[in-house]
């Protein structure tokens, strides 16, 4: 078993009382920034805490934020099979407690630590260090971009300060404008520097993402600025976007696998303090109740294009002989057979060869009629369609659709395991290339969109460990070239970016809302008896609702945001999507 640098830094944080702890004293420190004194902790160690609480949450926050909302709204994963706790309408039908959990956990833990790091390192601060202050600005941009893209207008300028128990909500346009400006300041401040200082001011001591390499932080900040500016481009009043895009394209961006903004996962820290797919998947595993399936949109895109990432992200559906007892009542039997026909058609569309038979089993009073769907085991790849409801759920068996690969969900709690764990991602190098391709296709940047597009695909495949020969073969396919008009070429870029964002559900969902692609993921669910439209109405959710706790604790400021932004429903479009 390997113990990586990030794990060692986590453990150092635990001893210093900066990371999440299990004693009452640690709990106090996690909620009260005044417990930190300027002499007791290096500002560099706030980096690990902020990175962890933004990207490597404990089980409670990860389950209710990135998995239930981000990954599913992105149409990367699905619930709603027979043994699942939930049908796949969960959260499309607004679920107050899960939204509350996401909002309260993230806003409670992250802004306060960002503010404290900035206060300590700002010019004239007790541990003044302009390079560490620049890193704090980058961390601030990552966190607030994710949150404003989820909800819209949010507490920002007053968030995390103890004197503002009821913080005002800032306009999303102003949040974007501020973050882009602050990223520019961070980039300029870092300049050519490679380290932040010595001793307690050495970023490497607490940096679980880039090990203190400021040039990697600079490239990440510039790529993040490009993401924000391109998303803002064309939105009402976004007159600041073009200059930011030009500045980003003229400065170093993420280029190589070493630039991927990621945090390696560990096998040591409890799932309550460090979670991900590789813990939630194994909770209640004897029933599959908490597990999920990969989506039809995702698997279709990979399988139909013979994309070698399929075998890195997904595993074949289990198959076997799946039996259903047929009711004796004629009406109930007809209804079940209708549902089975529907599922068989879904399997047919995915190219899953299967047989079907009805027969009697047993004798006497034990005799029953049984329908059996038989599929060769571990051969086919099929994703589950989105938003199956309660009516179809009982026949959507776990064996029918593909699960995430072993790499994606490898059990981090298995201390004897030798395989790698999928890291927590903040941004991929592949995205940096797709952003450049988008800018060129929109006439903002210069160069070859074709080259940037192909390099993005290559970077994503390298990230997933695809063999060089398989990458070369895929790049020879028409899907890997831009040969159409501007709209067709942009669709290819957006589709590949959405695909490369697997593991970054909130960002993939933002791509969908901003671009309308992939069309398979943004299309409305069928108007039939087997799908749950929820409270979204037509199409996909465009935002998360503000939680009910805000109505109680900060109602007047929330109401002001609603009056400015639009109704507090998931169908209300954000500023950059209007």
């Amino acid at each position: 078993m390997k113990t990586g640098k990030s794990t060692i830094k986590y453990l150092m944080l635990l001893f210093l009382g900066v990371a999440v702890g299990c004693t009452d004293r640690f709990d106090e420190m996690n909620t009260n920034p005044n417990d930190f004194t300027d002499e007791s902790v290096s500002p560099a160690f706030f980096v690990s805490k902020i990175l962890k609480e933004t990207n490597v949450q404990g089980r409670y926050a990860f389950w209710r934020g990135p998995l239930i909302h981000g990954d599913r709204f992105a149409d990367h994963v699905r619930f709603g099979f027979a043994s699942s706790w939930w049908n796949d309408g969960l959260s499309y039908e607004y679920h107050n407690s899960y939204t509350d959990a996401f909002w309260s956990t993230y806003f409670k833990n992250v802004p306060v630590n960002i503010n404290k790091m900035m206060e300590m390192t700002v010019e004239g601060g007790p541990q003044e260090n302009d390079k560490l202050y620049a890193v704090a600005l980058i961390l601030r941009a990552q966190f607030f971009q994710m949150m404003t893209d989820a909800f819209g207008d949010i507490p920002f300028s007053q968030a995390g300060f103890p004197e503002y128990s009821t913080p005002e909500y800032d306009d999303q346009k102003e949040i974007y404008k501020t973050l882009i400006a602050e990223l520019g300041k961070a980039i300029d401040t870092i300049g050519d520097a490679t380290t932040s200082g010595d001793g307690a001011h050495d970023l490497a001591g607490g940096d679980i993402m880039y090990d203190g390499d400021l040039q990697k932080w600079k490239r990440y900040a510039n790529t993040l600025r490009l993401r924000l500016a391109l998303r803002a481009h064309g939105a009402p009043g976004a007159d600041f976007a073009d200059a930011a895009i030009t500045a980003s394209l003229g400065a170093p961006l993420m280029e190589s696998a070493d630039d991927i903004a990621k945090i390696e996962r560990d096998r040591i820290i409890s799932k309550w303090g460090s979670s991900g797919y590789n813990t939630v998947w194994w909770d209640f595993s004897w029933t599959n109740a908490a597990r999920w399936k990969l989506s039809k949109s995702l698997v279709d895109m990979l399988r139909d294009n013979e994309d070698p990432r399929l075998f890195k992200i997904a595993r074949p559906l289990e198959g076997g002989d799946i039996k259903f007892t047929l009711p004796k009542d004629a009406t109930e039997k007809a209804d079940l057979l209708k549902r089975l026909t529907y599922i068989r058609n879904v399997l047919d569309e995915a190219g899953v060869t299967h047989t079907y038979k009805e027969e009697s089993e047993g004798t006497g009073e034990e005799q029953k009629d049984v329908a059996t769907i038989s599929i060769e085991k571990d051969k086919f790849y099929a994703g589950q369609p989105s938003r199956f409801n309660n009516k179809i759920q009982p026949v959507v068996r776990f064996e029918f659709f593909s699960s995430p690969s072993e790499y994606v969900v490898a059990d981090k709690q298995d201390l004897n395991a030798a395989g790698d764990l999928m890291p927590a991602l903040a941004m991929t190098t592949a995205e940096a290339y797709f952003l450049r391709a988008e800018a060129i296709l929109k006439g903002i940047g210069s160069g070859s969109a074709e080259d940037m597009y192909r390099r993005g695909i290559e970077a994503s495949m390298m990230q997933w460990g695809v063999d060089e020969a398989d990458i070369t073969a895929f790049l020879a396919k028409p899907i890997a070239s831009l040969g159409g008009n501007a709209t067709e070429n942009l669709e290819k870029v957006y589709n590949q970016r959405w695909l490369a964002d697997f593991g970054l559900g909130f960002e993939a969902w933002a791509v969908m809302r901003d671009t309308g692609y992939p069309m398979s993921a943004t299309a409305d669910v069928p108007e039939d008896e087997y799908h749950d439209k929820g409270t979204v109405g037509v199409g996909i959710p465009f935002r998360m609702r503000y939680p009910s706790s805000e109505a109680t604790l900060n109602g007047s400021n929330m109401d002001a945001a609603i009056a400015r932004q639009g109704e507090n429903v998931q169908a209300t479009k954000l500023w950059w999507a209007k």
Side-chain angles (χ1 to χ4, degrees), residues 122-393:
V122 71
E123 183 178 358
Q127 297 201 46
E128 178 182 340
N129 184 304
D130 63 341
K131 305 300 186 293
L132 289 176
Y133 186 82
V135 171
L137 291 176
I138 300 167
L139 292 167
R140 173 173 150 100
Q142 187 211 351
F143 174 76
F144 281 105
Q145 182 243 314
M146 179 181 70
M147 297 305 287
T148 189
D149 283 357
F151 293 96
D153 295 2
I154 55 170
F156 172 61
S157 57
Q158 296 180 356
F161 292 102
E163 60 266 33
Y164 296 113
S165 58
T166 55
E168 294 179 356
Y169 284 52
D170 293 78
D171 177 80
Q172 186 178 51
K173 180 184 72 175
E174 294 305 314
I175 295 172
Y176 259 64
K177 185 176 181 179
T178 300
L179 294 180
I180 286 172
E182 290 181 347
L183 286 167
K185 179 179 180 180
I187 291 163
D188 292 342
T189 298
I190 291 173
D192 295 329
T194 57
T195 63
S196 60
D198 299 320
H201 281 207
D202 183 1
L203 176 62
D207 183 2
I208 58 176
M209 190 160 76
Y210 286 135
D211 201 25
D213 188 331
L214 282 182
Q215 289 305 300
K216 291 180 180 179
W217 277 99
K218 180 180 176 180
R219 290 191 288 273
Y220 169 51
N222 193 37
T223 309
L224 184 56
R225 178 174 62 173
L226 182 58
R227 174 200 281 175
L228 285 160
L230 277 170
R231 187 159 294 153
H233 179 71
D239 53 359
F240 52 85
D242 280 6
I245 294 169
T246 300
S248 293
L249 294 174
L253 292 154
M254 296 165 68
E255 293 276 352
S256 70
D258 289 339
D259 289 330
I260 297 173
K262 65 181 180 180
I263 301 164
E264 298 294 345
R265 297 194 185 274
D266 68 277
R267 294 188 186 274
I268 295 178
I269 301 172
S270 161
K271 65 185 177 183
W272 303 107
S274 173
S275 188
Y277 303 134
N278 44 32
T279 60
V280 177
W281 182 263
W282 298 98
D283 288 324
F284 313 101
S285 59
W286 57 92
T287 65
N288 291 322
R291 292 184 170 178
W292 55 94
K293 291 293 178 177
L294 297 179
S295 74
K296 174 177 170 58
S297 296
L298 181 74
V299 176
D300 282 1
M301 187 179 292
L302 291 166
R303 185 197 62 235
D304 295 349
N305 291 307
E306 298 180 319
D307 191 319
R309 285 171 291 185
L310 173 66
F311 312 111
K312 303 295 184 179
I313 294 173
R315 67 181 93 189
L317 60 90
E318 290 184 15
D321 297 325
I322 300 97
K323 295 179 180 292
F324 300 85
T325 300
L326 300 176
K328 296 185 181 298
D329 179 85
T331 301
E332 293 178 1
K333 178 179 179 180
D335 179 67
L336 175 57
L337 291 176
K338 180 182 176 182
R339 286 179 286 160
L340 291 179
T341 298
Y342 185 92
I343 291 298
R344 291 177 62 205
N345 288 336
V346 171
L347 295 172
D348 284 338
E349 290 173 6
V352 179
T353 302
H354 64 278
T355 61
Y356 176 81
K357 64 180 179 180
E358 296 177 22
E359 58 187 348
S360 295
E361 292 184 352
T363 58
E365 294 183 358
E366 300 298 321
Q367 184 177 6
K368 58 184 179 181
D369 292 336
V370 174
T372 303
I373 297 175
S374 297
I375 305 170
E376 185 176 345
K377 289 189 175 184
D378 301 323
K379 178 179 180 180
F380 301 100
Y381 289 84
Q384 182 178 309
S386 66
R387 290 193 254 178
F388 276 158
N389 64 15
N390 287 328
K391 185 169 185 178
I392 193 71
Q393 184 176 5

Side-chain angles (χ1 to χ4, degrees), residues 1-8 11 268:
M1 179 185 69
K2 295 187 295 185
T3 302
K5 288 183 179 179
S6 60
T7 303
I8 294 171
L11 296 175
I268 295 178

